[in-house]
Amino acid sequence: MKILKFGGTSVGSSERIRSLLPIINSGERKIVVFSAMSGTTNVLTDVADAVTRGDFRSAAEMRDELKERYRRVIGELFSTTDSQEMAERAVEPHFRSMIPNQEMGVSGGADKIIMAQGELITTQLINMFLNESGVNSYHMPALNYMRVDKDGDPDYYYISENIVREMARGCNSNTIVTEGYICRNAFGETDNLKRGGSDYTASIIGSVIGATEVQIWTDISGFRNNDPRYVDNTSIIRELSFDEAAELAYFGAKILHPSTINPARMKGIPVVLKNSMEPDDPGTVISSASVTAEYKAVAAKDSITVIRITSGRMLMSYGFMRKVFEIFELYRTPIDMVATSEVSLSLTVDMHDNMEQIKGELSRLGNVEIEHDQTIICVVGDFRPEVTGAAPEIFQALNRFPVKMISYGASPNSISIIIDSKDKEMALRELHQSIF
Ligand code: ASP
Ligand code: MG
C-alpha cells in the first residue's frame, strides 16, 4: 500500500484538485493525505491571533473572506446544485468553529482548534468530490488516530492501535483520505505537527502500516543540487539516501518537513518527492538504496548567529562544554554546529529569542563574541575519509571568502561552512562551478 500526500498548492484551486483524479484513481489501494488549500493555514494563524487578542471583528472578517474562497471552489468543483449545497452544508460547522463564542470566553487550546480547520475542510471537500467523480473513497478522520506524546513526538503505540480500527472501517474503499498536519496531544486535545507537518503525517502513517512507498506531491520535481534563485544550470537530484535527505531537508526551503525522514528511515520505506504539475517526472527518490556520489548538492541557510566563547578555563579541564550546553538547554535554544579548540568554542544557532540572556550567562564562563547575519553553506555528498580526502574543490572554491567556521568529519554525508550572508550568492556560484 502506498501513502500519497498532496501539499497546499496541489489542492490550491478547483482545477488543481480536478487534475489529481488520474493520480489518485490509479487502481492500487492507497491512503491519501491532504494539506489545507494553499494560504489557508496562514489566514487561520491570523484568525487565531485575532481571537486570542479578543479582536473578534477582524477574526470574523478574515474568516468570511476565507469562506468566500472555499465557496468559489465548491461552485467550480461540484457539478450539480444539490452536491454544491451538500458540500456547503458539510463545511459550514468548520467555519463556525473558527470564531469561539465570546460569552463563553476563549479557552487555552482555541488557537489549535482554529488552525485545524483548514485540513478538516479541505479533506472533507476532496472526499466528497472524489465520490462524486466515481472514486470509491473513505474519509478516515486524523483526529481519531493521530496523536503526539508529552514531548510532541508521535505516539506510535497509540497510532498503530487506532489506525487499524479506522482503516478497517474503510475496508470497502480503494482510496482512504485523511488530514495531514492535525493530531491530538497527550491530553487528547486538538493539536498539530507544526507548520508544514502534513509531510510528517504521511511518513508516520507509512511507517506504522508498513507502506511500500510514501509519495510527497508538491509543485516542484524534487530537491535541486543548488539554489536556482542564485545559480544557473541547477538540476534535480534523482536519488538521495535518508541521511543525505535529512541534511538537505534542514536547508531545503520548505520542500520537505525535516522530521519526515525519520519514520520512513526506521522502516526503510522509500520517500519519493513528486510534482503534481508534471506527474510523469520521476522526482527525487529517497531510500537506503541510493548510490553515493562525491558531490550531490549545495544548500544554504541564512539568519545564523555564531557565538564564540574563549576561556583559559577550558584548557585541560573537563565539564566546560556541559556548562555551556546547559545554558542553551535552559533557554530551549537548539545548537546546530560546533567547533572547538583548546581554549575556545564556536557554535551556531538559528533561534535568536533569548540571545541577551544567553550571552549574559555565557559571559561568566569566558569572553563571548556574537556575530549575526551569517550563513551556513552545506555541501552534501560522500565524505567518508577513505573516499574523499580533504574535499579540496570545496575549499578552493571558497578561498576568496572569509570562512568563520567549518564542520568536517561530524557527518560522512556533509561538510558545513559558515560565511557572511553577504558572500552567500557568490559562494554558491563558485561552489557550483567547481564541484558540478
Ligand atoms: N497546512 C499546514 C501548513 O500550512 C500543514 C502543511 O501544509 O503541511 O503549515
Ligand atoms: Mg509543505
Side-chain angles (χ1 to χ4, degrees), residues 187-262:
F187 310 103
E189 301 157 342
T190 300
D191 209 319
N192 61 61
L193 300 172
K194 310 257 161 62
R195 294 305 305 271
S198 296
D199 302 342
Y200 197 20
T201 302
S203 80
I204 295 169
I205 297 176
S207 104
V208 163
I209 69 160
T212 51
E213 187 171 294
V214 174
Q215 299 178 348
I216 306 289
W217 290 81
T218 63
D219 55 352
I220 50 169
S221 297
F223 279 117
R224 292 194 159 264
N225 65 354
N226 206 327
D227 192 329
R229 286 173 300 180
Y230 311 119
V231 181
D232 297 329
N233 304 320
T234 61
S235 52
I236 305 279
I237 312 166
R238 294 302 174 188
E239 284 184 19
L240 283 171
S241 68
F242 288 117
D243 292 326
E244 291 167 339
E247 301 271 5
L248 278 182
Y250 173 74
F251 294 94
K254 307 213 164 118
I255 294 176
L256 185 67
H257 189 285
S259 306
T260 311
I261 300 298
N262 222 11

Side-chain angles (χ1 to χ4, degrees), residues 250 301-305 333-336 348-353:
Y250 173 74
K301 190 172 175 83
D302 294 332
S303 300
I304 300 294
T305 296
T333 301
I335 297 169
D336 296 315
T348 70
V349 297
D350 65 5
M351 250 178 68
H352 312 101
D353 296 350

